Amino acid sequence: MQKMLGKFLPQDQHDLFRMRLDQMVNMSHELIILAKEVDWNWIESELKDSYSEEGRPSIPIRTMVGMLLLKQLHNQSDESVLARWVENPYWQYFTGEQYFQHKPPFDPTDFVYFRKRVGEAGMEKVLSLTVRLHFGSESEEEVQVDTTVQEKNITFPTDSKLAFKIIKYCWSYAKAERVDLRQSYRFVVKGLRMKLHNGTHPRRQKAARKASRKLKTIAGRLVRELLRKLDSEALAYYGQSLNLFESVLAQKKSSKNKRYSLHEPAVWCIAKGKPHKKYEFGCKVSVARNAKSGVIVGMKSFTGNPYDGDTLETSLDQIERIRRDAGGDRPKTVVADRGYRGRKEIGQTKILIPTSGNKSQSSYDKQKQRKRFRNRAGIEPIIGHLKEDHRMRRNFLAGERGDAVNCLLAGAAFNLKMRLNQIRSSFWAFLRDMWASLSFEMAAFGFLLANWNQMRSKSQLLHSLDYE
């Protein structure tokens, strides 16, 4: 059912039994200053098309967007951010409340509904909202890009794990539909799982491989038995899952488009190339930031494992949309690493990639290019912050929409963090200047106080000489 766009009602009149937040909080706090800088009316006008003109009023957009930004900014879950919101008057002021609230404004499941309602396009508007906070960043000509992997919330996929999960599903389906299995294999499966423990040990490898093959055989038997014994109505309900189980069991090591998770189809194996972690299971994300200001202007997720150079055109289109919302335009130069080889120009945008050297270039130009590519390497720690601080290390949102939404919110949270640091640093610079001027005045007063007697005796002597 469609909902009508909810709005805050004007509450200028004081309440005798409730205390206003602007009387509780420090109005010079960086989060309060940030709340006044964010253009909430703009984001409300951009997302209003996702709502209907009739129906029950929804939760205000400022509340939902503000809560999502706080969630990603402080690395909280859907449940924990609401619990902390009740305790924190600064968070309540940031999301548009005027009086202190003693209970959450909505249920955690409303986060899911809102993310599905606005989708990837709506979250691009949220990222544009944070770009608008950094004046001038939308018109920078040079952008740095790189790709990373956003891992999905799954365990390390192995054939034995998937086979055991299929067996458990078959047991639950048979119990729900009251199907008498010819053999449940519960005792056998328990022994096979014990043989899989520490299966990489040289003395246990042969038994572990045999146990893994046996698990797959048992899983296939149970799936086929359910397909034979379930009635037509039950097959219509469980048929898609059982067909998925058969395709997963038929997979081999060399198979393409493998299924790595039963509950998450949007998972791909992407080689990391590092000794400590050879593979990552999730989706590829392209990260783009401005070369001078460091503001993130693009976060695009991709299905499959595309070549980095093939992601550039789609990423540039997203960067153009986000910067245009902030009043800018498409960047003129993109600086990338050698993973983007094969692309020198896309439209009017020039692609710069490190090369072994050009003899026609002067030493000054070579030094300038080398400095530019070294500056591009600064995007690597930014990706580390996105993963560790802003929930990109493990994505808990479902499906391909969840991949796109999570990375866009991570980029928005990083831009907010940058703006908060700027506000905080400017505030402390103001205090430093005040303290410096105050210290000078106090030092002058101390000097006068310490030398008061000596200066007084000198003045008396001069006065007596003048009198004589």
Side-chain angles (χ1 to χ4, degrees):
M1 184 179 66
Q2 290 290 329
K3 288 185 177 180
M4 184 175 63
L5 180 62
K7 296 183 179 181
F8 282 107
L9 297 176
Q11 297 178 346
D12 296 332
Q13 186 175 358
H14 289 269
D15 195 322
L16 181 62
F17 302 103
R18 293 191 297 173
M19 190 171 182
R20 291 180 64 90
L21 286 173
D22 53 10
Q23 297 177 357
M24 296 175 58
V25 299
N26 178 14
M27 297 305 290
S28 60
H29 190 271
E30 57 263 20
L31 197 60
I32 305 299
I33 298 173
L34 181 65
K36 295 178 180 179
E37 291 183 355
V38 176
D39 193 352
W40 300 107
N41 294 327
W42 179 84
I43 191 65
E44 182 177 319
S45 63
E46 292 293 327
L47 299 183
K48 68 179 181 181
D49 293 338
S50 301
Y51 295 85
S52 68
E53 299 294 333
E54 300 176 350
R56 181 169 63 90
S58 68
I59 301 159
I61 285 181
R62 175 173 179 177
T63 302
M64 293 302 305
V65 173
M67 201 76 78
L68 282 171
L69 291 174
L70 289 173
K71 170 183 177 294
Q72 214 81 11
L73 180 64
H74 297 281
N75 198 2
Q76 300 292 312
S77 65
D78 290 350
E79 293 79 11
S80 62
V81 70
L82 289 172
R84 288 190 61 183
W85 182 88
V86 175
E87 302 170 355
N88 198 323
Y90 290 95
W91 286 19
Q92 295 187 17
Y93 188 95
F94 183 77
T95 54
E97 298 293 337
Q98 295 188 4
Y99 294 96
F100 187 78
Q101 305 296 322
H102 298 277
K103 61 180 182 179
F106 53 84
D107 192 78
T109 54
D110 286 312
F111 279 121
V112 182
Y113 301 141
F114 182 77
R115 287 190 290 254
K116 288 183 178 180
R117 180 184 294 274
V118 300
E120 182 180 1
M123 292 305 166
E124 284 185 2
K125 300 295 182 181
V126 175
L127 181 57
S128 302
L129 179 71
T130 60
V131 173
R132 291 165 65 95
L133 293 172
H134 301 268
F135 300 106
S137 62
E138 70 280 354
S139 57
E140 290 187 25
E141 296 183 353
E142 188 171 306
V143 170
Q144 302 167 349
V145 297
D146 198 6
T147 58
T148 186
V149 179
Q150 180 178 233
E151 290 189 272
K152 207 71 171 180
N153 185 32
I154 64 168
T155 60
F156 189 85
T158 59
D159 293 339
S160 57
K161 278 185 180 180
L162 290 174
F164 179 63
K165 285 185 178 181
I166 290 173
I167 292 171
K168 288 177 65 178
Y169 275 117
C170 290
W171 287 342
S172 63
Y173 294 169
K175 183 179 179 180
E177 297 299 324
R178 298 180 181 179
V179 174
D180 293 330
L181 297 173
R182 184 176 61 85
Q183 184 179 349
S184 65
Y185 298 99
R186 290 182 183 272
F187 185 77
V188 179
V189 168
K190 183 177 180 181
L192 292 174
R193 293 192 70 203
M194 292 178 66
K195 290 182 180 180
L196 287 170
H197 177 67
N198 197 17
T200 57
H201 193 277
R203 293 185 180 181
R204 300 173 62 89
Q205 282 182 356
K206 186 175 180 180
R209 285 196 297 267
K210 186 176 179 180
S212 179
R213 290 195 300 268
K214 185 66 175 177
L215 272 178
K216 292 182 69 173
T217 302
I218 292 173
R221 288 176 186 170
L222 293 176
V223 170
R224 289 190 295 272
E225 187 173 359
L226 284 176
L227 286 172
R228 287 194 309 268
K229 293 184 177 180
L230 288 176
D231 55 18
S232 58
E233 185 178 351
L235 276 177
Y237 186 75
Y238 296 109
Q240 187 175 0
S241 298
L242 294 174
N243 292 333
L244 170 64
F245 297 161
E246 284 188 319
S247 63
V248 169
L249 293 173
Q251 292 178 164
K252 295 181 180 180
K253 186 176 181 180
S254 58
S255 300
K256 293 186 177 180
N257 300 321
K258 292 180 69 175
R259 184 73 177 256
Y260 296 99
S261 174
L262 296 180
H263 69 281
E264 278 294 349
V267 174
W268 296 272
C269 178
I270 301 174
K272 187 178 179 67
K274 302 293 177 64
H276 68 283
K277 200 171 188 179
K278 294 183 179 180
Y279 306 101
E280 290 179 316
F281 297 89
C283 71
K284 181 172 283 191
V285 175
S286 174
V287 182
R289 71 161 192 164
N290 289 334
K292 291 184 179 180
S293 62
V295 177
I296 292 180
V297 292
M299 296 288 292
K300 181 66 178 175
S301 63
F302 296 90
T303 59
N305 185 12
Y307 172 60
D308 286 356
D310 295 337
T311 66
L312 262 178
E313 187 172 358
T314 309
S315 299
L316 280 171
D317 292 340
Q318 186 197 54
I319 294 169
E320 184 178 4
R321 289 194 302 269
I322 291 172
R323 287 165 58 121
R324 188 173 292 169
D325 288 337
D329 205 351
R330 195 181 183 98
K332 295 183 179 179
T333 308
V334 170
V335 184
D337 59 8
R338 287 185 173 89
Y340 291 82
R341 283 190 296 260
R343 306 292 186 278
K344 293 185 178 180
E345 193 173 18
I346 297 177
Q348 301 296 324
T349 305
K350 187 178 180 181
I351 313 299
L352 297 181
I353 298 171
T355 57
S356 57
N358 188 357
K359 295 183 179 179
S360 61
Q361 275 187 332
S362 64
S363 59
Y364 172 76
D365 291 335
K366 289 181 180 179
Q367 185 179 3
K368 190 176 179 181
Q369 289 289 84
R370 191 179 296 115
K371 185 177 180 181
R372 174 179 281 174
F373 292 126
R374 285 177 178 173
N375 186 27
R376 189 221 65 87
I379 198 174
E380 301 290 348
I382 301 302
I383 293 174
H385 282 294
L386 289 172
K387 289 190 173 184
E388 296 298 332
D389 302 335
H390 304 303
R391 298 184 71 78
M392 264 190 65
R393 170 66 61 192
R394 186 173 292 274
N395 180 23
F396 295 90
L397 306 183
E400 296 179 15
R401 183 197 290 116
D403 295 332
V405 167
N406 191 66
C407 66
L408 284 166
L409 285 176
F414 181 83
N415 291 342
L416 277 190
K417 187 75 171 181
M418 281 188 61
R419 184 58 193 147
L420 282 172
N421 290 337
Q422 292 171 1
I423 294 171
R424 193 180 297 116
S425 62
S426 62
F427 175 71
W428 284 111
F430 172 73
L431 287 183
R432 234 180 2 255
D433 296 340
M434 288 285 292
W435 178 252
S437 60
L438 185 61
S439 300
F440 175 77
E441 294 174 0
M442 291 183 67
F445 179 73
F447 176 80
L448 290 174
L449 190 63
N451 298 279
W452 173 253
N453 292 329
Q454 185 178 1
M455 294 174 66
R456 184 180 179 185
S457 62
K458 287 183 178 180
S459 63
Q460 288 179 352
L461 178 61
L462 291 172
H463 180 70
S464 62
L465 290 174
D466 291 339
Y467 179 74
E468 292 177 356

